[in-house]
Amino acid sequence: MTSDPASLASPSKTNLQETQELHRLLVDVVRDYAIFMLSPSGIVTTWNVGAERIKGYQAQEIIGQHFSCFYTAEDIQVGKPEQELELAQATNGFEQEGWRVRKDGSKFWASILITPIYNSDEILIGFSKVTRDLTERKQAEASVKELRDIKFALDQSTIVAITNKQGVITYVNEAFCRISKYSSQELIGNTHRIINSSHHPLEFFKQMWAIIGHGFVWKDEIKNRAKDGSYYWVDTTIVPFLDDSGKPLQYIAIRHDITNRKQVEEELRSSLKEIADIKFALDQSTIVAMTDRKGDITYVNEAFCRISKYSEQELIGQNHRIINSGYHPHEFFVDMWKSIADGKVWKNEIKNRAKDGSYYWVDTTIVPFLDPQTGKPYQYVAIRHDITSRKTLELELEQAKEVAESANKKKSQFLTNMSHELRTPLNAVISYSQMMKQGIAGEITEKQYKYANNIEVSGKHLLDMVNDILDIAKIEAGKIQLSFQPFQLRLLLLELQDIFIGMAEQKHVQLDFNLDPAFGTITADPIRIRQIFFNLISNAIKFNRENGKVNVKVFPSQDKRWLIGEIKDTGIGISADKLDELFTEFYQVDSSMSRQHEGTGLGLALTKHLVKLHGGDIFVISEKDVGSTFSFQIPLGF
Ligand code: ADP
């Protein structure tokens, strides 16, 4: 079709001519190669189908044209076409690759073979030129290289694994081994179950398989478990590779290590939650307000609104003067501002006034928030607790105390006065009854003597009672003063022994005194110490039985810092439920028995007061019908 029409039409054909003809026909139909002839000067003389396809020219367009039109402008500029013909002659045919231009001006990468053709006389009659379009191959090569580069980059940056359609691992890259701490031998042939952390529910992987099994890409974050038991998080993309029917052949899993991000996320989440929890707890329990540097309210919580009875809108933008009760002096707030503006936390109790005019007390802590640059406060957070009920109680208590104090004072005053007033006539009653007994007022009968004696005994009892009352009143009014002086405890105890020996004999009670010989002189109030022993010993005898025992023991404590007095009896004892009240004024365990003993119910109360005044204490151990032990201790070494 593109060959010489004249020679085809020739009627007489030699064998050679026939072969040439066949050859030409063959060349004509080759599609993948452009095969054509050039004249010695480079004019195109033949053109095949391949040439037409590759270069885009029809035979009639190109035959007769110079072949330099196949070259790029730059190549033409440097005389490449001519050079190549010369080179072909010199080398008897040469091959090269380079850019060539199609009819439409587009370039393609070509492999070219130019061969010089000589006739039998060895005269150059032209050139054959075979050109192949290598663009596709070149592109394929480029894309193979590109793929190789991408794979390299992927391997460097990414955790890659390939599994077959059953999920069995067929390939893992280095990054996969590094993060999972398994070797590729350990991984290949296994499924991904080997790195399952059990963090995700079964459903998670079921869904994944459903998606990739249908040929879709799946993406999510997975927590995996490395060989050493440590956990890591990977952002995972699984891409199914499909066969022609669209069924997955294998899966490629691409992962990125997001363990750090996950950790930060987790920490952030938990600290955010913590902050939210703290804020919630604070808001529930606490009255919170925030102010700016100037003291203008920028935030109040619900509790603040509830107690102040103002709405949030009414408070924001105001300063705390809105709830000022006028209770605190001006300096109170001046001092507060001084310390918080200085960056110091301030704490105090404030009385505030609610919108409805009612007052409330808040225990207030103001925390300044400092600007890290200037170190100066840029806002203040005030945290308050409602202490109104406590404050009210405190105030009531204070008032009650004041009332009680003044009542007590009056009582003491009354008792003191009364005792003094009573003592004078009582002393008169006693002296006159004594005088009557002595017969100073004239001879008296036995009966009269007995009556006078009764008057004297009763009078003395009353006087004892008045004296005790006077003592207690004095102690309560804080008017009793101990007069400390050194004295011989031994002498004091001997004196007491003399006093009580008669009484004990009368009751058939055995009275023993045991004084630790280490004791010499001690310093205390001798009159009051005597009173303490007197009361306890007289009780021990009084509340005893026929043939009972009383043992008085005085010894120092182990550390020598205390004097211990112990008065032990085998008397009637005191039941446990009565012990607590024993030391209160006018308390008597069994009034009929006590009356029988003419007690006042003041002795133990006074004794305790006196021990306490000395800086000591008193205790009792007792068992009903068995006996009692009263021990007191007072500090030594005044
Ligand atoms: P009183 O003047 O009645 O003795 P106290 O204050 O000395 O007053 O004693 C209060 C009460 O404690 C007594 O009435 C008595 O019932 C009981 N009591 C005191 N000491 C003893 C004791 N050693 N044994 C049994 N009971 C005692």
Side-chain angles (χ1 to χ4, degrees):
M1 154 188 177
T2 53
S3 57
D4 190 351
S7 44
L8 270 176
S10 170
S12 54
K13 284 177 196 148
T14 61
N15 269 353
L16 180 69
Q17 270 177 328
E18 246 173 59
T19 313
Q20 278 175 343
E21 193 59 36
L22 271 173
H23 188 75
R24 195 179 299 230
L25 282 171
L26 196 66
V27 166
D28 268 354
V29 297
V30 169
R31 284 180 51 83
D32 289 342
Y33 293 86
I35 303 169
F36 53 96
M37 303 278 285
L38 298 177
S39 69
S41 64
I43 302 293
V44 178
T45 56
T46 69
W47 201 241
N48 77 335
V49 180
E52 194 182 309
R53 197 183 64 82
I54 292 170
K55 301 209 189 242
Y57 293 97
Q58 301 287 316
Q60 58 269 34
E61 293 178 288
I62 196 68
I63 288 174
Q65 302 293 323
H66 193 263
F67 86 113
S68 58
C69 67
F70 305 141
Y71 287 78
T72 62
E74 301 89 71
D75 285 353
I76 298 168
Q77 187 102 49
V78 298
K80 216 163 182 189
E82 290 78 15
Q83 280 167 21
E84 283 186 359
L85 292 185
E86 279 167 29
L87 212 62
Q89 258 183 284
T91 57
N92 206 17
F94 93 110
E95 216 177 338
Q96 56 132 216
E97 284 185 12
W99 288 109
R100 291 296 181 270
V101 182
R102 296 194 187 93
K103 181 189 168 190
D104 62 6
S106 62
K107 282 195 256 178
F108 64 98
W109 186 258
S111 145
I112 302 129
L113 175 69
I114 305 178
T115 319
I117 301 169
Y118 300 93
N119 66 9
S120 45
D121 301 327
E122 306 226 326
I123 294 173
L124 179 76
I125 55 162
F127 299 92
S128 75
K129 199 170 170 205
V130 180
T131 303
R132 194 151 57 103
D133 184 351
L134 293 183
T135 311
E136 270 175 27
R137 203 189 80 194
K138 188 144 176 85
Q139 268 168 0
E141 268 174 22
S143 50
V144 165
K145 186 175 175 319
E146 208 173 85
L147 277 178
R148 226 181 286 129
D149 289 351
I150 289 170
K151 186 174 178 297
F152 178 76
L154 210 64
D155 266 353
Q156 290 303 302
S157 62
T158 309
I159 301 151
V160 184
I162 299 175
T163 75
N164 67 12
K165 59 179 175 222
Q166 281 82 34
V168 175
I169 299 170
T170 54
Y171 169 82
V172 285
N173 74 343
E174 239 184 79
F176 193 111
C177 298
R178 216 177 307 127
I179 197 162
S180 72
K181 302 198 168 78
Y182 284 103
S183 71
S184 61
Q185 290 97 306
E186 289 172 309
L187 290 164
I188 289 174
N190 256 304
T191 67
H192 276 85
R193 235 164 281 153
I194 193 172
I195 49 166
N196 191 329
S197 66
S198 305
H199 172 84
H200 306 277
L202 215 71
E203 200 53 33
F204 178 83
F205 293 108
K206 255 196 198 154
Q207 274 175 11
M208 177 200 88
W209 273 107
I211 290 168
I212 61 173
H214 280 89
F216 297 106
V217 172
W218 179 90
K219 259 172 192 283
D220 216 323
E221 294 176 350
I222 306 187
K223 184 179 184 175
N224 281 149
R225 188 174 181 279
K227 189 179 178 182
D228 66 357
S230 64
Y231 293 99
Y232 60 93
W233 275 91
V234 276
D235 166 39
T236 304
T237 305
I238 302 180
V239 184
F241 281 10
L242 309 180
D243 63 14
D244 290 342
S245 65
K247 294 240 170 66
L249 273 176
Q250 60 174 12
Y251 302 100
I252 177 155
I254 289 167
R255 292 172 171 94
H256 288 105
D257 185 359
I258 52 162
T259 311
N260 284 344
R261 196 197 83 199
K262 273 286 183 191
Q263 225 156 23
V264 171
E265 264 178 28
E266 193 52 49
E267 277 160 21
L268 199 69
R269 216 192 332 261
S270 70
S271 54
L272 279 178
K273 189 181 174 314
E274 220 166 272
I275 290 168
D277 285 353
I278 290 169
K279 188 172 177 300
F280 179 76
L282 208 67
D283 269 351
Q284 290 301 304
S285 63
T286 311
I287 302 153
V288 184
M290 278 159 82
T291 76
D292 63 14
R293 199 167 30 85
K294 300 194 300 290
D296 289 342
I297 298 170
T298 54
Y299 169 83
V300 285
N301 73 345
E302 241 185 77
F304 193 109
C305 297
R306 216 178 306 128
I307 197 164
S308 73
K309 303 199 169 79
Y310 283 102
S311 72
E312 195 184 327
Q313 292 94 305
E314 289 172 310
L315 290 164
I316 286 180
Q318 295 283 337
N319 64 34
H320 276 85
R321 236 164 279 151
I322 192 172
I323 48 166
N324 192 328
S325 65
Y327 174 86
H328 305 277
H330 182 62
E331 297 79 64
F332 179 83
F333 294 107
V334 172
D335 284 351
M336 176 201 88
W337 270 105
K338 242 188 236 158
S339 67
I340 61 172
D342 217 30
K344 289 189 202 104
V345 172
W346 182 88
K347 264 174 194 275
N348 220 321
E349 294 176 351
I350 305 186
K351 184 179 182 177
N352 281 149
R353 189 175 180 277
K355 191 181 175 182
D356 66 357
S358 64
Y359 293 99
Y360 59 93
W361 276 89
V362 276
D363 163 29
T364 303
T365 305
I366 303 180
V367 184
F369 277 62
L370 305 183
D371 185 312
Q373 247 115 55
T374 61
K376 295 247 161 66
Y378 66 94
Q379 67 171 8
Y380 302 99
V381 175
I383 290 166
R384 294 173 170 90
H385 288 106
D386 184 0
I387 52 162
T388 309
S389 38
R390 196 196 84 200
K391 265 301 194 199
T392 316
L393 267 178
E394 267 176 27
L395 286 175
E396 276 170 9
L397 211 68
E398 223 165 86
Q399 279 164 3
K401 231 176 176 174
E402 273 166 27
V403 170
E405 263 165 29
S406 86
N408 248 335
K409 225 182 221 163
K410 279 183 194 147
K411 186 185 92 186
S412 302
Q413 211 126 42
F414 168 76
L415 287 174
T416 313
N417 290 342
M418 192 196 70
S419 309
H420 277 295
E421 298 298 316
L422 282 173
R423 267 204 310 199
T424 320
L426 265 178
N427 278 322
V429 168
I430 292 162
S431 337
Y432 281 109
S433 55
Q434 280 172 344
M435 276 156 68
M436 275 172 78
K437 273 166 69 186
Q438 284 159 14
I440 291 171
E443 213 52 28
I444 53 165
T445 62
E446 206 171 304
K447 205 171 188 178
Q448 283 170 329
Y449 182 92
K450 210 175 142 198
Y451 287 172
N453 190 56
N454 278 351
I455 295 171
E456 191 197 343
V457 170
S458 298
K460 275 185 173 166
H461 176 56
L462 203 56
L463 187 63
D464 282 346
M465 199 153 153
V466 166
N467 281 334
D468 280 358
I469 289 173
L470 191 61
D471 273 349
I472 286 178
K474 272 188 191 161
I475 287 166
E476 280 183 349
K479 279 191 186 143
I480 211 166
Q481 297 254 310
L482 297 182
S483 120
F484 282 95
Q485 48 188 281
F487 64 95
Q488 293 277 329
L489 190 60
R490 180 170 304 276
L491 294 181
L492 190 146
L493 291 176
L494 281 175
E495 190 194 322
L496 285 167
Q497 205 168 3
D498 280 348
I499 292 172
F500 284 112
I501 202 83
M503 186 180 164
E505 266 172 15
Q506 219 176 351
K507 271 212 81 168
H508 301 282
V509 165
Q510 187 188 323
L511 176 63
D512 291 314
F513 277 78
N514 286 296
L515 175 67
D516 190 295
F519 278 121
T521 307
I522 68 157
T523 302
D525 184 329
I527 293 177
R528 300 304 181 183
I529 294 290
R530 183 179 178 280
Q531 217 174 337
I532 293 167
F533 275 110
F534 188 98
N535 285 341
L536 293 174
I537 297 168
S538 74
N539 276 349
I541 297 170
K542 265 198 290 181
F543 300 107
N544 221 311
R545 275 185 273 247
E546 194 94 348
N547 300 322
K549 277 184 195 166
V550 172
N551 194 346
V552 181
K553 230 169 112 183
V554 185
F555 57 96
S557 68
Q558 252 178 351
D559 61 8
K560 307 268 186 280
R561 288 170 56 201
W562 301 89
L563 173 147
I564 297 171
E566 200 181 86
I567 294 88
K568 190 175 181 169
D569 68 64
T570 56
I572 59 170
I574 307 155
S575 59
D577 58 313
K578 306 279 164 57
L579 287 175
D580 280 348
E581 283 170 286
L582 214 51
F583 296 98
T584 49
E585 284 94 355
F586 299 110
Y587 181 78
Q588 296 185 314
V589 175
D590 180 337
S591 36
S592 68
M593 169 93 172
S594 298
R595 213 161 286 138
Q596 189 188 322
H597 290 280
E598 297 180 327
T600 61
L602 286 171
L604 285 181
L606 188 58
T607 300
K608 185 168 181 173
H609 276 306
L610 293 173
V611 170
K612 289 264 179 189
L613 270 179
H614 273 88
D617 211 346
I618 184 161
F619 317 94
V620 59
I621 301 169
S622 187
E623 199 180 325
K624 200 158 171 50
D625 300 327
V626 176
S628 315
T629 304
F630 285 82
S631 343
F632 68 90
Q633 54 172 49
I634 58 169
L636 279 168
F638 286 96

